[in-house]
Amino acid sequence: MKRDKLSDLNAETFDVVVIGAGINGCSAAQQLSAKGFRTLIVEKGDFAEGATSKSSRLLHCGLRHLTPGKSLWDFVRNPVYLATALINAKASMDARSDIANSLPELTHEVNFCFPIYKEDPFTPRMVDLAFSLLSVLGPKDLPLGYKRHKPSDHSSTPFASYLREPSKIQGMAVFREYLFDWPERIAIDALKDASQMGAVARNFTEFTSLTKNEDDSWSVELVDCIDPAETATIQAKLVLNVGGAWSDQISQHFKSDLPQKVLKLKGAHIAVQLPPELSNWGMIAMNRVKEPLYCVPNRGLHLVGLNRVPYDKDASGIRAEEDEVDWLIGELNHLMPSLGVTRSDVKFTMAGLQPITFDPNEPHGSRAIKIHDLKSNGFKNILALTGGPIMTHRQVGKNLARAALKRINPSLPAKSLSKYASQTTKDLHATRGQNRSIQANSDLLKRIATEEQPTNLADILFRRTGIAWNKGQGRDQLEEIADVVAEPLGWDEARTKLEIQSYLDFLDQDYPDHTK
């Protein structure tokens, strides 16, 4: 998966060009390559840099799809809404089984609790029903382990002693959930597998325009974001827009007045260190606007979020703002007042955009995952994806490959894909918790620098190794890591120092310390 000069691709012909290399785009490239499509996937930033990286890292069982807005009547009044919820819940349970079983290096099991207060929009019986539905809808190989404790037995969960107003808690649901340790590496591994099957993957490569050819294929113009002098025009029989939050922006290159298809919801998180007895537990509770508040354990910290707010500005440079941090701290303290969390307890913050299918009748969009055919807009053989959370990426990739098969024929023989972790991922997993020095892992870091197209330290620490998600976000190892990867990345001493400072500046910009 080495990154060659973009101009080397000039005049090349591909069956499919995938624009956008988040986890859904990477899965699509893998599935398309397995079907025999000669595939090119491009991403204007780094692979998995957007919503994939800035998620809560929860391999969700699908419970959130069965929370009916403000009341159960939301489902009763809107059968389509209910049907979508059941479809998505089943997809989540299927994905939970598939991913947890096939990627033990990248997922792990954790207990979650769910306090049910009297003022919540559902009763304990309704929560029982939701988990019963999930058990029926999903595979039986990874049981949810659901149990609802009575008010007299709340002390069996470590969160109980911290929760507000225990007399108002009607029940405490406890269940088994799974977390993605590195959703970014799942995307990277899908790309590596696609590359082994013949796909070409390029990060920091931006799609700029396209022109229709007489045979209904497309001329696609690309530019290298690192070296703008490097350009290429390639030919594609089919174009897939899998740009996530940037999807509508990409479509404007096709036609400036195409109707809106994506609703961007901004979600902010704060990373805090909770008491040690909570380290292996997560919690979901309802906040004061009757939406879920998540406390997700992650590498010794808890990610607390989120605040789903429609966002109509540019999708680049998203960060948690001061008022969002204050709101999340306030909600956490309202839920667990004895913690007394302050800004000094916040280790870092982050924010991302969730691309939801636009629905003019739904202020927060539709959770439906849709493949839009732009033929009716004058763009034959161009498809656009909306929706698609990270846990269902494999099914989304399969659906996009099926859609391609209905429109064009593959030019290569079909191949067998791998849904397991790459050797690099296995080696990274083996080094976790060993407190090995950077020098002891130098060969692994050099392999990543050589084979996985990182261009800076943020690519390596966030998307390739996950070191940046630990306490301190890699600051204590930064110079050592930079020294190791400098040679394979062609950095001299001055460039290495610049890259170190650029990483620190990046943390200040995208993951700011709000305690200052």
Side-chain angles (χ1 to χ4, degrees):
M1 204 175 77
K2 295 181 180 180
R3 192 174 185 274
D4 297 320
K5 293 177 65 175
L6 178 59
S7 55
D8 291 344
L9 295 179
N10 194 52
E12 289 280 332
T13 297
F14 292 88
D15 296 326
V16 185
V17 170
V18 181
I19 302 172
I23 199 165
N24 286 316
C26 295
S27 180
Q30 184 185 32
Q31 294 288 341
L32 288 162
S33 300
K35 296 295 184 184
F37 291 106
R38 186 164 190 247
T39 302
L40 169 67
I41 179 169
V42 296
E43 168 60 53
K44 72 173 185 177
D46 189 25
F47 304 128
E49 183 178 359
T52 303
S53 184
K54 295 183 176 181
S55 72
S56 62
R57 321 187 95 66
L58 186 59
L59 181 51
H60 208 294
C61 65
L63 178 64
R64 66 177 179 177
H65 296 300
L66 301 180
T67 53
K70 304 301 181 185
S71 77
L72 183 62
W73 289 106
D74 287 0
F75 278 157
V76 176
R77 287 190 294 261
N78 192 340
V80 174
Y81 182 30
L82 174 59
T84 299
L86 293 173
I87 291 170
N88 288 341
K90 175 173 171 46
S92 294
M93 284 293 288
D94 289 343
R96 175 180 181 267
S97 172
D98 181 24
I99 294 172
N101 280 318
S102 62
L103 293 174
E105 300 88 355
L106 292 170
T107 58
H108 71 274
E109 179 184 314
V110 65
N111 286 321
F112 265 74
C113 64
F114 182 11
I116 308 163
Y117 281 87
K118 293 178 180 178
E119 68 268 25
D120 286 344
F122 32 73
T123 66
R125 294 290 186 186
M126 291 166 63
V127 175
D128 292 346
L129 176 60
F131 276 98
S132 294
L133 279 172
L134 290 173
S135 296
V136 170
L137 292 169
K140 306 301 186 285
D141 55 345
L142 295 179
L144 288 161
Y146 174 70
K147 182 177 181 180
R148 177 166 58 83
H149 297 289
K150 296 179 180 179
S152 60
D153 193 26
H154 289 172
S155 59
S156 59
T157 61
F159 272 103
S161 61
Y162 295 96
L163 290 170
R164 65 174 174 85
E165 301 176 292
S167 62
K168 293 185 178 181
I169 299 177
Q170 300 184 84
M172 179 77 77
V174 176
F175 61 101
R176 189 177 303 120
E177 194 59 283
Y178 286 83
L179 302 180
F180 289 107
D181 287 318
W182 299 320
E184 304 93 336
R185 281 227 61 93
I186 295 178
I188 293 291
D189 283 357
L191 279 186
K192 292 174 76 169
D193 190 48
S195 297
Q196 290 176 353
M197 292 185 285
V200 177
R202 286 189 59 87
N203 58 1
F204 297 98
T205 302
E206 186 169 11
F207 155 76
T208 57
S209 66
L210 81 168
T211 305
K212 189 174 183 180
N213 302 321
E214 291 184 359
D215 61 354
D216 290 330
S217 66
W218 296 94
S219 294
V220 182
E221 295 185 12
L222 305 170
V223 63
D224 191 312
C225 299
I226 298 172
D227 182 4
E230 280 288 306
T231 63
T233 300
I234 60 92
Q235 307 303 310
K237 300 174 185 176
L238 180 71
V239 177
L240 298 184
N241 177 359
V242 196
W246 289 267
S247 182
D248 283 341
Q249 186 176 329
I250 291 169
S251 292
Q252 287 176 0
H253 288 290
F254 310 155
K255 188 178 179 182
S256 60
D257 60 349
L258 283 175
Q260 179 181 358
K261 290 182 168 56
V262 172
L263 176 69
K264 296 174 288 190
L265 294 181
K266 181 182 179 183
H269 289 82
I270 57 175
V272 298
Q273 184 152 20
L274 297 182
E277 64 267 27
L278 306 178
S279 61
N280 294 318
W281 277 78
M283 181 170 60
I284 302 174
M286 301 304 288
N287 61 30
R288 283 176 283 186
V289 294
K290 306 304 181 187
E291 290 192 346
L293 181 75
Y294 297 92
C295 297
V296 181
N298 183 58
R299 295 173 178 257
L301 302 173
H302 276 76
L303 290 176
V304 180
L306 66 179
N307 60 327
R308 291 164 22 101
V309 178
Y311 188 84
D312 59 3
K313 300 176 184 178
D314 181 69
S316 303
I318 300 299
R319 57 177 283 164
E321 302 296 340
E322 298 289 338
D323 60 334
E324 294 171 321
V325 174
D326 287 340
W327 185 84
L328 288 168
I329 292 174
E331 289 301 316
L332 183 59
N333 283 330
H334 173 71
L335 180 63
M336 295 185 286
S338 62
L339 289 178
V341 174
T342 67
R343 281 182 175 253
S344 64
D345 298 307
V346 178
K347 305 305 179 184
F348 63 85
T349 65
M350 70 173 185
L353 293 177
Q354 185 181 13
I356 300 293
T357 298
F358 174 74
D359 184 335
N361 299 315
E362 294 289 342
H364 282 76
S366 167
R367 289 194 180 274
I369 302 170
K370 292 187 177 182
I371 299 174
H372 305 265
D373 191 333
L374 302 190
K375 181 178 180 180
S376 60
N377 300 110
F379 296 93
K380 184 179 179 181
N381 290 335
I382 295 184
L383 305 176
L385 174 75
T386 59
I390 60 175
M391 71 282 296
T392 55
H393 69 276
R394 285 179 170 172
Q395 188 58 52
V396 168
K398 291 176 183 177
N399 291 344
L400 286 167
R402 290 192 192 103
L405 282 169
K406 292 179 180 178
R407 291 162 176 83
I408 63 171
N409 294 318
S411 60
L412 300 171
K415 303 175 182 67
S416 297
L417 62 76
S418 171
K419 63 180 183 179
Y420 302 104
S422 69
Q423 186 59 51
T424 299
T425 294
K426 292 177 180 178
D427 291 344
L428 281 167
H429 175 72
T431 64
R432 285 189 66 182
Q434 295 183 5
N435 295 319
R436 297 175 66 187
S437 68
I438 297 300
Q439 293 302 320
N441 292 327
S442 61
D443 289 343
L444 179 55
L445 285 169
K446 288 178 180 178
R447 187 198 317 164
I448 289 169
T450 302
E451 298 178 356
E452 297 186 351
Q453 296 190 29
T455 63
N456 55 52
L457 290 172
D459 296 346
I460 292 172
L461 272 74
F462 276 96
R463 269 85 63 183
R464 304 303 186 280
T465 65
I467 291 171
W469 297 112
N470 297 330
K471 301 172 190 176
Q473 298 192 281
R475 290 177 178 87
D476 59 338
Q477 307 173 71
L478 192 55
E479 292 188 7
E480 286 184 276
I481 293 172
D483 287 342
V484 169
V485 301
E487 180 182 354
L489 291 178
W491 298 346
D492 59 17
E493 184 177 352
R495 173 69 182 276
T496 302
K497 290 181 179 178
L498 178 63
E499 292 293 338
I500 291 171
Q501 187 58 51
S502 295
Y503 177 75
L504 295 173
D505 292 343
F506 170 75
L507 291 183
D508 288 341
Q509 174 62 37
D510 281 41
Y511 300 84
D513 180 355
H514 288 264
T515 64
K516 296 178 180 178

